[in-house]
Amino acid sequence: MSVLQQTPVAVPAPAPRKRYRRQDRSGYLFLLPWFAGMLFTIIPFFASLYLAFTDYNLLNPPEWIGLANFREMLADERLMRSLRVTVIYTVVSVPLSLAAALGVAMVLQQGIRGLPVYRAIFYLPSLLGSSVAVVILWRYLFGVDGVINKGLAWFGITGPAWTTDPSHALTTLIILHVWTFGSPMVIFLAGLRQIPAAYYEAAAVDGAGPWRRFRSVTLPLLSPIIFFNLVQSLIASLQTFTQGFVMSGGTGGPADSTLFYNLYLYLRGFTQFDMGYASAMAWVLFVLIALLTAVNFLAARWWVFYDD
Amino acid sequence: MTTRPWARHVVLCLVGALMMYPLLWLLSSSVKPGATVFTQPGLWPESWDLTNYPAGWVALEHPFSLYLANSLVIVVLSIVGNLISCSLAAYGFARLRFTGRRLFFTLMLGTMMLPGHVLLVPQYVVFAKLGWLNTYYPLLVPNFLATNAFYIFLMVQFMRALPTELDDAARIDGCGPFRTFWKIIMPLSLPAFATTAIFTFISVWNEFFGPLLYLTDSELYTVPLALRQFVDSEGQSAWGQMFAMSFVSLAPVIGFFIAGQKYLVKGIATTGLK
């Protein structure tokens, strides 16, 4: 190939260059809506960085206040509580839902009759999980005399006041999140299909038991997909809003126990019109997510394995 | 791991029953008399109250048909917008070679990772300055400008898999890029269009935050905003009505899911595999 490229006889150089130019115009035409849309992305991106250093209530022009918003954040107890709620929610529910997704995907993978039906049953909740109707449903399932407590009473357990007790309100939302494990499950299922059966057969011939085959064949070959699901779920979970809003009637209560970071951002920005403060909050979360993703990508070098 | 098939079926059925229980409970509560929702434990109603549906339909400030119609208008226009703008961009990225293509493509992938809340405040300010608050423009216009990079990416993945000989043959026959897109690539990409349409339907139908932010007049409300009013009013006997309307709001998603399962599963599986 390199020899061919070094012989400057066959094709005169300017010709492909010219054709490239001619495609420029149509390329840009096709991207025209996207370019316009990027204006709605790039300009707000920098504008929000600027607003983070201002005091702005939408009525008066933004006033530059330097780092004051960030200093206020450090002393803001509600903000710290909202950060804690969001982190606990993420750290508990993401691993649980991914484990459930992988577990069920592996059972389904073994070639079972009625696979499409099972897959549909497990996948459906993930399409409904963020809808207001389902959060309302959850509120009543976990009510003081809701179905969950009726079921617990059956076993002689007195259930707590799930939704009104600050130490349990978040648990109900974590359970709701785990209930939506269907979409990572579908991705796992597709990934498991890509692992050649011969690997398992070879491992079995070498005397590897089920656990060993899982650790030495499934996990490494599936690791890029585990990684993808992990990054996606973390980013989505850190941005949770609707669940906390609807569960608490827009307050984040009881006692701020469902005050997600984005819910607090909404309350500050769009009910109190602290637009500058809300922008500063948005940027802090953005930097946190970016850092977390970067750490994930760095850590991935140690455990994510690419076949080729 | 070769467990016995019946054991697997038992496990899957148990987990499946647990997954379906909340939805079945919702359906059952929607046909029980409001006062008995929490006293009758069984899923099968001891007494039926089908009036929950007509009564719930008119329980809020406006009839539920208005909220359904509002949601439908937004959903249909969002689908049209996403299909047009994202497929054009995807064709450009997947099949045309032009200066800066790689750079723009990286930028597009970057916006896929960008959390929406970073843009929230300035976008709100812009829409406010344009006089678009309390209209559907903030919810619709971005969809016509291909701002949802996920759908572009999905279509790029699909279009890249089509043989390049198609474009060459079309060019030899005298087709420009637009005719090639319209007559050849677009018809072949219909499965990707279907996936995009269904995903758009489900996410826009469920969307709560955008309408909450931009819509203030109750006659413009979408279904999720309307449902939320049931929680705020919280009448003791209105439970049955609230569950009835909750079920009405979920039914189209369930219907679309049953109709388009094939495309949904394929779409979500390919995004994860890259």
Coordinates of all heavy atoms in Angstrom, one line a residue, chain A residues 20 23-24 28 33-34 37 40-41 44 48 110 113 118 121 124 127 131 133 136-137 139-140 147 150 179 183 186 210 213 225 228 239 241 245 270 282 285-286, chain B residues 1 8-9 13 19-21 25 38 91 97-99 104 107 115 117-119 122-124 145 177 206 208-209 213 228 231 234 239 242 249-250 257 268-269 272-273:
Chain A
Y20 N -14.0 16.9 -3.6 CA -14.2 17.1 -2.1 C -14.9 18.5 -1.9 O -15.9 18.6 -1.2 CB -12.9 17.1 -1.4 CG -12.9 16.5 -0.1 CD1 -13.3 15.2 0.1 CD2 -12.5 17.2 1.0 CE1 -13.3 14.6 1.3 CE2 -12.5 16.7 2.3 CZ -13.0 15.3 2.4 OH -13.0 14.8 3.7
Q23 N -18.5 18.5 -2.8 CA -19.4 17.9 -1.8 C -19.5 18.8 -0.6 O -20.4 18.6 0.2 CB -18.8 16.5 -1.4 CG -19.1 15.5 -2.5 CD -19.3 14.1 -1.8 OE1 -18.9 13.9 -0.7 NE2 -20.0 13.2 -2.6
D24 N -18.6 19.7 -0.4 CA -18.7 20.6 0.7 C -20.0 21.3 0.8 O -20.7 21.3 1.8 CB -17.6 21.7 0.6 CG -16.3 21.2 1.2 OD1 -16.2 20.1 1.6 OD2 -15.3 22.0 1.2
Y28 N -22.8 20.8 3.8 CA -23.2 21.8 4.7 C -24.7 22.1 4.6 O -25.4 22.4 5.6 CB -22.4 23.1 4.4 CG -21.0 23.0 4.6 CD1 -20.1 23.8 3.9 CD2 -20.5 22.2 5.6 CE1 -18.7 23.7 4.1 CE2 -19.1 22.1 5.9 CZ -18.2 22.8 5.1 OH -16.9 22.7 5.3
P33 N -29.8 22.4 9.3 CA -30.7 22.5 10.5 C -29.8 22.2 11.8 O -30.0 22.9 12.8 CB -31.7 21.3 10.3 CG -31.6 21.0 8.9 CD -30.3 21.4 8.4
W34 N -28.8 21.3 11.6 CA -28.0 20.9 12.8 C -27.1 22.1 13.2 O -26.9 22.4 14.3 CB -27.1 19.7 12.4 CG -26.2 19.3 13.5 CD1 -26.6 18.6 14.7 CD2 -24.8 19.6 13.7 NE1 -25.5 18.4 15.5 CE2 -24.4 19.0 14.9 CE3 -23.9 20.2 12.9 CZ2 -23.1 19.1 15.3 CZ3 -22.6 20.3 13.3 CH2 -22.2 19.7 14.5
G37 N -29.2 24.4 15.0 CA -29.4 23.8 16.4 C -28.2 24.0 17.3 O -28.3 24.2 18.5
F40 N -28.2 27.0 19.3 CA -29.0 26.9 20.5 C -28.3 26.1 21.6 O -28.8 25.9 22.6 CB -30.3 26.2 20.2 CG -31.4 27.2 19.8 CD1 -31.6 27.4 18.4 CD2 -32.2 27.8 20.7 CE1 -32.6 28.3 18.0 CE2 -33.2 28.7 20.3 CZ -33.4 28.9 19.0
T41 N -27.1 25.5 21.2 CA -26.4 24.7 22.2 C -25.1 25.5 22.6 O -24.8 25.6 23.8 CB -26.0 23.4 21.6 OG1 -27.2 22.7 21.1 CG2 -25.3 22.5 22.6
P44 N -25.8 29.1 24.4 CA -26.2 28.9 25.8 C -25.1 28.3 26.7 O -25.0 28.6 27.9 CB -27.4 28.0 25.7 CG -27.9 28.2 24.4 CD -26.7 28.5 23.5
S48 N -24.2 30.4 29.9 CA -24.4 29.8 31.3 C -23.2 29.9 32.1 O -23.2 30.1 33.3 CB -25.0 28.4 31.2 OG -24.1 27.5 31.5
Q110 N -29.9 -18.0 27.9 CA -29.6 -19.4 27.8 C -30.6 -20.1 26.8 O -30.7 -21.3 26.8 CB -29.7 -20.1 29.1 CG -28.6 -19.7 30.0 CD -28.8 -20.2 31.5 OE1 -29.3 -21.2 31.7 NE2 -28.3 -19.4 32.4
R113 N -37.7 -20.8 26.0 CA -38.9 -20.6 25.2 C -39.6 -19.4 25.7 O -39.7 -19.1 26.9 CB -39.8 -21.9 25.3 CG -40.1 -22.4 23.9 CD -41.3 -23.3 23.9 NE -40.8 -24.7 24.4 CZ -41.7 -25.6 24.8 NH1 -43.0 -25.3 24.9 NH2 -41.3 -26.8 25.1
Y118 N -40.9 -12.7 27.8 CA -40.2 -12.3 29.0 C -39.5 -10.9 28.8 O -39.6 -10.0 29.6 CB -39.2 -13.3 29.4 CG -39.8 -14.6 30.0 CD1 -39.5 -15.8 29.4 CD2 -40.5 -14.5 31.2 CE1 -40.1 -17.0 30.0 CE2 -41.1 -15.6 31.7 CZ -40.8 -16.9 31.2 OH -41.3 -18.0 31.7
I121 N -41.9 -8.1 29.0 CA -42.4 -7.8 30.4 C -41.3 -7.1 31.2 O -41.6 -6.1 31.9 CB -42.7 -9.2 31.1 CG1 -44.0 -9.7 30.5 CG2 -42.9 -9.0 32.6 CD1 -44.4 -11.1 31.0
L124 N -40.8 -3.3 29.5 CA -41.8 -2.3 29.5 C -41.7 -1.3 30.6 O -41.8 -0.1 30.4 CB -43.2 -3.0 29.5 CG -44.4 -2.1 29.6 CD1 -44.5 -1.2 28.4 CD2 -45.7 -2.9 29.8
L127 N -39.8 1.9 30.1 CA -40.3 3.0 29.2 C -41.3 3.9 30.0 O -41.6 5.0 29.6 CB -41.0 2.3 28.1 CG -40.2 1.6 27.1 CD1 -41.0 1.0 26.0 CD2 -39.1 2.5 26.5
S131 N -42.5 8.5 33.9 CA -43.7 9.2 33.7 C -44.4 9.5 35.0 O -44.3 8.9 36.0 CB -44.7 8.3 32.8 OG -45.0 7.2 33.5
A133 N -47.4 9.4 35.7 CA -48.4 8.4 36.2 C -47.8 7.3 37.1 O -48.4 7.0 38.1 CB -49.1 7.8 35.0
I136 N -46.9 8.7 40.5 CA -48.1 8.8 41.3 C -48.5 7.4 41.8 O -48.8 7.2 43.0 CB -49.3 9.4 40.4 CG1 -49.0 10.8 40.1 CG2 -50.6 9.2 41.1 CD1 -50.1 11.4 39.2
L137 N -48.4 6.4 40.9 CA -48.7 5.1 41.3 C -47.8 4.6 42.5 O -48.3 4.1 43.5 CB -48.5 4.2 40.1 CG -48.4 2.7 40.3 CD1 -49.8 2.2 40.8 CD2 -48.0 2.0 39.0
R139 N -46.4 6.5 44.7 CA -46.8 7.2 45.9 C -47.9 6.5 46.7 O -47.9 6.5 47.9 CB -47.4 8.6 45.5 CG -47.0 9.7 46.3 CD -47.5 10.9 45.5 NE -48.4 11.7 46.4 CZ -48.2 12.8 46.9 NH1 -47.0 13.4 46.6 NH2 -49.0 13.4 47.7
Y140 N -48.8 5.8 45.9 CA -49.9 5.1 46.6 C -49.6 3.7 46.9 O -50.1 3.2 47.9 CB -51.2 5.3 45.8 CG -51.6 6.7 45.8 CD1 -51.2 7.7 44.9 CD2 -52.4 7.2 46.9 CE1 -51.6 9.0 44.9 CE2 -52.7 8.5 47.0 CZ -52.3 9.4 46.0 OH -52.7 10.7 46.1
V147 N -50.4 -1.0 49.3 CA -50.3 -2.4 49.1 C -49.0 -3.0 49.7 O -49.0 -4.1 50.2 CB -50.2 -2.7 47.5 CG1 -50.1 -4.1 47.3 CG2 -51.4 -2.1 46.9
K150 N -49.5 -3.5 53.3 CA -50.5 -4.7 53.5 C -49.7 -6.0 53.3 O -49.9 -6.9 54.1 CB -51.6 -4.6 52.4 CG -52.6 -3.4 52.7 CD -53.9 -4.0 53.3 CE -54.6 -2.9 53.9 NZ -55.0 -1.8 53.0
W179 N -36.7 -1.0 39.4 CA -37.8 -1.5 38.6 C -37.6 -1.3 37.1 O -38.1 -2.0 36.3 CB -39.1 -0.9 39.1 CG -40.4 -1.4 38.6 CD1 -40.9 -2.7 38.7 CD2 -41.3 -0.7 37.8 NE1 -42.1 -2.8 38.1 CE2 -42.4 -1.6 37.5 CE3 -41.4 0.6 37.3 CZ2 -43.5 -1.2 36.8 CZ3 -42.6 1.0 36.6 CH2 -43.6 0.1 36.3
S183 N -34.0 -1.5 30.3 CA -33.3 -1.0 29.1 C -31.8 -1.4 29.2 O -31.2 -1.8 28.2 CB -33.5 0.5 28.9 OG -32.9 1.3 29.8
V186 N -31.7 -5.0 28.0 CA -31.8 -5.3 26.5 C -30.4 -5.2 25.9 O -30.0 -5.9 25.1 CB -32.8 -4.4 25.9 CG1 -32.7 -4.4 24.4 CG2 -34.2 -4.7 26.3
P210 N -19.4 -23.2 36.3 CA -20.3 -22.0 35.9 C -19.7 -20.7 36.4 O -19.6 -19.7 35.6 CB -21.6 -22.3 36.6 CG -21.6 -23.7 37.0 CD -20.2 -24.2 37.1
R213 N -16.6 -19.8 34.5 CA -16.9 -19.4 33.1 C -17.5 -17.9 33.1 O -17.1 -17.1 32.2 CB -17.9 -20.3 32.5 CG -17.3 -21.6 32.1 CD -18.2 -22.4 31.0 NE -19.5 -22.7 31.6 CZ -19.8 -23.9 32.1 NH1 -18.9 -24.8 32.2 NH2 -21.0 -24.1 32.6
I225 N -19.6 -3.4 27.3 CA -21.0 -3.1 27.4 C -21.4 -2.7 28.9 O -22.2 -1.9 29.1 CB -21.8 -4.2 26.9 CG1 -21.6 -4.2 25.3 CG2 -23.3 -4.1 27.2 CD1 -21.9 -5.5 24.7
F228 N -20.4 0.8 29.2 CA -21.3 1.7 28.5 C -22.6 1.9 29.4 O -23.0 3.1 29.6 CB -21.7 1.1 27.1 CG -22.8 1.9 26.5 CD1 -22.5 3.0 25.7 CD2 -24.2 1.5 26.6 CE1 -23.6 3.7 25.1 CE2 -25.2 2.2 26.0 CZ -24.9 3.3 25.2
Q239 N -29.0 13.2 37.1 CA -29.9 14.3 36.6 C -31.3 14.0 36.9 O -32.2 14.6 36.3 CB -29.7 14.4 35.1 CG -28.3 14.8 34.7 CD -28.2 15.0 33.3 OE1 -28.8 15.9 32.7 NE2 -27.5 14.1 32.6
F241 N -35.0 14.2 38.1 CA -35.8 15.3 38.5 C -37.3 14.9 38.8 O -37.8 15.1 39.9 CB -35.8 16.4 37.4 CG -36.7 17.5 37.7 CD1 -36.3 18.6 38.5 CD2 -38.0 17.6 37.1 CE1 -37.2 19.6 38.7 CE2 -38.8 18.6 37.3 CZ -38.4 19.7 38.1
F245 N -39.8 15.4 42.1 CA -40.8 16.5 42.1 C -42.2 16.0 42.3 O -42.9 16.5 43.1 CB -40.7 17.1 40.7 CG -41.6 18.4 40.5 CD1 -41.0 19.6 40.7 CD2 -42.9 18.3 40.3 CE1 -41.8 20.8 40.6 CE2 -43.7 19.4 40.2 CZ -43.2 20.6 40.3
F270 N -36.1 28.8 39.0 CA -37.4 29.1 38.3 C -38.5 29.3 39.2 O -39.6 29.6 38.8 CB -37.7 27.9 37.3 CG -36.6 27.8 36.2 CD1 -35.6 27.0 36.3 CD2 -36.7 28.6 35.1 CE1 -34.6 26.9 35.4 CE2 -35.7 28.6 34.1 CZ -34.7 27.7 34.3
A282 N -25.6 24.4 38.0 CA -25.5 23.6 36.8 C -24.1 23.3 36.5 O -23.7 22.2 36.1 CB -26.2 24.3 35.6
L285 N -22.5 20.7 38.8 CA -22.9 19.3 38.5 C -22.2 18.9 37.2 O -21.8 17.7 37.1 CB -24.4 19.2 38.4 CG -24.9 17.8 38.2 CD1 -24.5 16.9 39.3 CD2 -26.4 17.8 38.0
F286 N -22.2 19.8 36.2 CA -21.5 19.4 34.9 C -20.1 19.0 35.1 O -19.7 18.0 34.6 CB -21.6 20.6 34.0 CG -20.9 20.4 32.7 CD1 -21.2 19.4 31.9 CD2 -19.9 21.4 32.3 CE1 -20.5 19.2 30.7 CE2 -19.2 21.2 31.1 CZ -19.5 20.1 30.3
Chain B
M1 N -23.5 -22.2 32.5 CA -24.5 -22.3 33.5 C -25.8 -22.9 32.9 O -26.6 -22.3 32.2 CB -24.9 -20.9 34.0 CG -24.2 -20.5 35.2 SD -24.0 -18.8 35.4 CE -22.6 -18.5 34.3
R8 N -35.6 -22.1 35.5 CA -35.5 -20.8 35.0 C -36.9 -20.1 34.7 O -37.1 -19.0 35.0 CB -34.8 -20.9 33.6 CG -33.3 -20.8 33.8 CD -32.6 -20.8 32.5 NE -32.3 -22.2 32.0 CZ -32.3 -22.6 30.8 NH1 -32.5 -21.7 29.8 NH2 -32.0 -23.8 30.4
H9 N -37.8 -20.9 34.2 CA -39.2 -20.4 34.0 C -39.8 -19.9 35.3 O -40.4 -18.9 35.4 CB -40.1 -21.4 33.4 CG -39.9 -21.5 31.9 ND1 -40.3 -20.4 31.0 CD2 -39.4 -22.4 31.1 CE1 -40.0 -20.8 29.8 NE2 -39.4 -22.0 29.8
C13 N -40.8 -16.1 35.9 CA -42.2 -15.8 36.1 C -42.4 -15.0 37.4 O -43.2 -14.1 37.5 CB -43.0 -17.1 36.2 SG -43.4 -17.8 34.5
M19 N -42.6 -7.4 38.5 CA -42.5 -6.3 37.6 C -43.9 -5.8 37.1 O -44.1 -4.6 37.0 CB -41.7 -6.7 36.3 CG -40.3 -7.1 36.6 SD -39.2 -5.8 37.1 CE -39.0 -4.9 35.5
M20 N -44.8 -6.7 36.9 CA -46.1 -6.3 36.3 C -47.0 -5.9 37.4 O -48.0 -5.2 37.1 CB -46.6 -7.5 35.5 CG -46.0 -7.7 34.1 SD -46.3 -6.3 33.1 CE -44.7 -5.6 32.9
Y21 N -46.8 -6.4 38.6 CA -47.8 -6.1 39.7 C -48.2 -4.7 39.8 O -49.4 -4.4 39.8 CB -47.3 -6.6 41.0 CG -48.3 -6.5 42.1 CD1 -49.3 -7.5 42.2 CD2 -48.4 -5.4 42.9 CE1 -50.3 -7.3 43.2 CE2 -49.3 -5.2 43.9 CZ -50.3 -6.2 44.0 OH -51.3 -6.0 44.9
W25 N -52.0 -3.5 39.3 CA -52.7 -2.9 40.5 C -53.3 -1.5 40.0 O -54.4 -1.2 40.4 CB -51.7 -2.6 41.6 CG -52.3 -2.1 42.8 CD1 -52.9 -2.8 43.8 CD2 -52.4 -0.7 43.2 NE1 -53.4 -1.9 44.8 CE2 -53.1 -0.7 44.5 CE3 -52.0 0.5 42.7 CZ2 -53.4 0.5 45.1 CZ3 -52.2 1.7 43.3 CH2 -52.9 1.7 44.5
F38 N -58.0 1.0 48.8 CA -57.0 0.5 49.8 C -57.6 -0.5 50.8 O -56.9 -1.1 51.5 CB -56.4 1.7 50.6 CG -55.7 2.6 49.7 CD1 -56.2 3.8 49.3 CD2 -54.4 2.2 49.2 CE1 -55.5 4.7 48.5 CE2 -53.7 3.1 48.3 CZ -54.3 4.3 48.0
Y91 N -27.4 11.7 7.1 CA -27.0 11.4 5.8 C -25.7 12.2 5.5 O -24.8 11.7 4.9 CB -28.1 11.8 4.8 CG -27.6 11.6 3.3 CD1 -27.6 10.3 2.8 CD2 -27.2 12.7 2.5 CE1 -27.2 10.1 1.5 CE2 -26.8 12.5 1.2 CZ -26.8 11.2 0.7 OH -26.4 11.0 -0.6
R97 N -18.6 13.4 2.0 CA -17.3 13.8 2.5 C -17.2 15.3 2.3 O -17.3 15.7 1.1 CB -16.2 13.0 1.7 CG -16.4 11.5 1.9 CD -15.3 10.8 1.2 NE -14.0 11.2 1.6 CZ -12.9 11.2 0.8 NH1 -13.0 10.9 -0.5 NH2 -11.7 11.6 1.3
F98 N -17.0 16.0 3.3 CA -16.8 17.4 3.2 C -15.8 17.9 4.2 O -15.6 17.2 5.2 CB -18.2 18.1 3.3 CG -18.9 17.8 4.5 CD1 -18.8 18.5 5.7 CD2 -19.8 16.7 4.5 CE1 -19.5 18.1 6.9 CE2 -20.6 16.4 5.6 CZ -20.4 17.1 6.8
T99 N -15.3 19.1 4.0 CA -14.3 19.6 4.9 C -14.9 19.8 6.3 O -15.9 20.4 6.5 CB -13.8 21.0 4.4 OG1 -13.7 20.9 3.0 CG2 -12.4 21.3 4.9
F104 N -17.0 18.2 13.1 CA -18.4 18.4 13.4 C -19.0 17.1 14.0 O -19.8 17.2 14.9 CB -19.2 18.8 12.1 CG -18.8 20.1 11.6 CD1 -18.7 20.3 10.2 CD2 -18.7 21.2 12.4 CE1 -18.4 21.5 9.7 CE2 -18.3 22.4 11.9 CZ -18.2 22.6 10.5
L107 N -18.0 17.0 17.5 CA -18.8 18.0 18.3 C -20.2 17.4 18.5 O -20.8 17.6 19.6 CB -18.9 19.2 17.4 CG -19.3 20.5 18.1 CD1 -18.2 20.9 19.1 CD2 -19.4 21.7 17.0
P115 N -24.9 17.4 29.6 CA -26.2 17.3 30.4 C -27.0 18.6 30.1 O -26.5 19.7 30.0 CB -25.7 17.4 31.8 CG -24.2 17.1 31.8 CD -23.8 17.6 30.5
H117 N -29.1 20.4 31.7 CA -29.3 21.4 32.6 C -28.3 22.6 32.5 O -28.5 23.6 33.0 CB -29.3 20.9 34.1 CG -28.1 20.3 34.5 ND1 -27.9 18.9 34.5 CD2 -26.9 20.8 34.9 CE1 -26.7 18.6 34.9 NE2 -26.0 19.8 35.1
V118 N -27.1 22.3 31.9 CA -26.1 23.3 31.7 C -26.7 24.4 30.8 O -26.3 25.6 30.9 CB -24.8 22.8 31.1 CG1 -23.8 23.8 31.0 CG2 -24.3 21.7 32.0
L119 N -27.5 24.0 29.8 CA -28.0 25.0 28.9 C -29.3 25.6 29.3 O -29.8 26.6 28.7 CB -28.2 24.3 27.5 CG -27.1 23.4 27.0 CD1 -27.5 22.7 25.8 CD2 -25.9 24.2 26.8
P122 N -29.8 29.8 30.1 CA -29.7 30.7 29.0 C -30.8 30.4 27.9 O -31.3 31.3 27.3 CB -28.3 30.5 28.4 CG -27.6 29.8 29.5 CD -28.5 29.1 30.3
Q123 N -31.1 29.1 27.7 CA -32.1 28.8 26.8 C -33.5 29.4 27.2 O -34.2 29.9 26.4 CB -32.3 27.3 26.6 CG -31.3 26.7 25.6 CD -31.4 25.2 25.5 OE1 -32.0 24.5 26.3 NE2 -30.7 24.7 24.5
Y124 N -33.7 29.3 28.5 CA -35.0 29.9 29.0 C -35.0 31.4 28.8 O -36.0 31.9 28.4 CB -35.1 29.6 30.5 CG -36.3 30.0 31.2 CD1 -37.5 29.3 31.2 CD2 -36.4 31.3 31.8 CE1 -38.6 29.7 31.8 CE2 -37.6 31.7 32.4 CZ -38.7 30.9 32.4 OH -39.9 31.4 32.9
L145 N -34.4 21.3 14.7 CA -33.0 21.8 14.5 C -32.0 20.7 14.9 O -30.8 20.9 15.3 CB -32.7 23.0 15.3 CG -33.6 24.2 14.8 CD1 -33.2 25.5 15.7 CD2 -33.4 24.5 13.4
P177 N -26.7 14.5 -4.6 CA -26.9 14.0 -3.2 C -28.3 14.1 -2.7 O -28.7 13.1 -2.0 CB -26.0 15.0 -2.4 CG -25.2 15.7 -3.3 CD -25.8 15.6 -4.7
N206 N -43.9 11.3 27.7 CA -43.6 11.2 29.1 C -43.1 12.5 29.6 O -43.0 12.7 30.8 CB -42.6 10.1 29.4 CG -43.3 8.8 29.4 OD1 -44.5 8.6 29.6 ND2 -42.5 7.7 29.2
F208 N -41.9 15.8 31.3 CA -42.5 16.6 32.3 C -41.8 17.9 32.5 O -42.5 18.9 32.6 CB -42.5 15.8 33.6 CG -43.1 16.5 34.8 CD1 -44.4 16.8 34.8 CD2 -42.3 16.8 35.9 CE1 -45.0 17.5 35.9 CE2 -42.8 17.5 37.0 CZ -44.1 17.8 37.0
F209 N -40.5 17.9 32.5 CA -39.8 19.1 32.8 C -40.0 20.2 31.9 O -40.3 21.4 32.3 CB -38.3 18.7 32.9 CG -37.5 19.9 33.5 CD1 -37.6 20.2 34.8 CD2 -36.6 20.6 32.7 CE1 -36.9 21.2 35.4 CE2 -35.9 21.6 33.3 CZ -36.0 21.9 34.6
L213 N -41.7 23.8 32.7 CA -41.0 25.1 32.7 C -41.6 26.1 31.8 O -41.7 27.3 32.2 CB -39.6 24.8 32.1 CG -38.4 25.6 32.5 CD1 -38.3 25.7 34.1 CD2 -37.1 25.1 31.9
R228 N -50.5 15.7 37.3 CA -49.9 16.2 38.5 C -51.0 17.0 39.3 O -50.9 17.0 40.5 CB -48.8 17.1 38.1 CG -48.1 17.7 39.3 CD -47.1 18.8 38.9 NE -47.1 19.8 39.9 CZ -47.1 21.1 39.6 NH1 -47.2 21.5 38.4 NH2 -47.0 21.9 40.6
V231 N -52.7 14.9 42.0 CA -51.9 14.8 43.3 C -52.1 16.0 44.1 O -52.3 15.9 45.3 CB -50.4 14.6 43.0 CG1 -49.7 14.3 44.3 CG2 -50.2 13.5 42.0
E234 N -55.8 16.0 45.5 CA -55.9 14.9 46.5 C -57.2 14.8 47.2 O -57.3 14.7 48.4 CB -54.8 15.1 47.5 CG -54.4 13.8 48.2 CD -52.8 13.7 48.3 OE1 -52.1 14.7 48.2 OE2 -52.4 12.5 48.4
W239 N -59.5 8.9 44.2 CA -58.5 8.0 43.8 C -58.7 7.2 42.6 O -57.9 7.1 41.7 CB -58.3 7.0 45.0 CG -57.5 7.6 46.1 CD1 -56.4 8.4 46.0 CD2 -57.6 7.4 47.5 NE1 -55.9 8.8 47.2 CE2 -56.6 8.1 48.2 CE3 -58.5 6.6 48.3 CZ2 -56.5 8.2 49.5 CZ3 -58.4 6.7 49.6 CH2 -57.4 7.4 50.3
M242 N -58.3 9.2 39.6 CA -56.9 9.6 39.4 C -56.2 8.4 38.7 O -55.4 8.5 37.7 CB -56.2 9.9 40.7 CG -54.7 10.2 40.5 SD -54.0 10.7 42.1 CE -54.1 9.2 43.0
S249 N -53.2 7.7 30.5 CA -51.9 8.4 30.1 C -50.8 7.3 29.7 O -50.0 7.6 28.9 CB -51.4 9.3 31.1 OG -50.6 8.6 32.1
L250 N -50.9 6.2 30.3 CA -49.9 5.2 30.0 C -50.2 4.3 28.8 O -49.4 3.8 28.1 CB -49.7 4.2 31.2 CG -49.1 4.8 32.5 CD1 -49.0 3.8 33.6 CD2 -47.7 5.4 32.2
F257 N -45.5 0.5 22.4 CA -44.5 -0.5 22.8 C -44.8 -1.9 22.2 O -43.9 -2.5 21.5 CB -44.4 -0.6 24.3 CG -43.6 -1.8 24.8 CD1 -42.2 -1.8 24.6 CD2 -44.2 -2.9 25.4 CE1 -41.5 -2.9 25.0 CE2 -43.5 -4.0 25.8 CZ -42.2 -4.0 25.6
I268 N -32.3 0.2 20.8 CA -31.5 0.4 22.1 C -30.3 -0.6 22.1 O -29.2 -0.2 22.6 CB -32.4 0.1 23.3 CG1 -31.7 0.7 24.5 CG2 -32.8 -1.3 23.5 CD1 -32.6 0.7 25.7
A269 N -30.4 -1.8 21.5 CA -29.3 -2.7 21.5 C -28.1 -2.1 20.7 O -27.0 -2.2 21.1 CB -29.7 -4.1 21.0
G272 N -26.0 0.6 22.3 CA -25.0 0.1 23.3 C -23.8 -0.5 22.7 O -22.8 -0.6 23.3
L273 N -24.0 -1.1 21.6 CA -22.9 -1.9 21.0 C -21.9 -1.0 20.2 O -20.8 -1.5 19.9 CB -23.5 -3.0 20.1 CG -24.2 -4.1 20.9 CD1 -24.9 -5.1 20.0 CD2 -23.3 -4.8 21.8

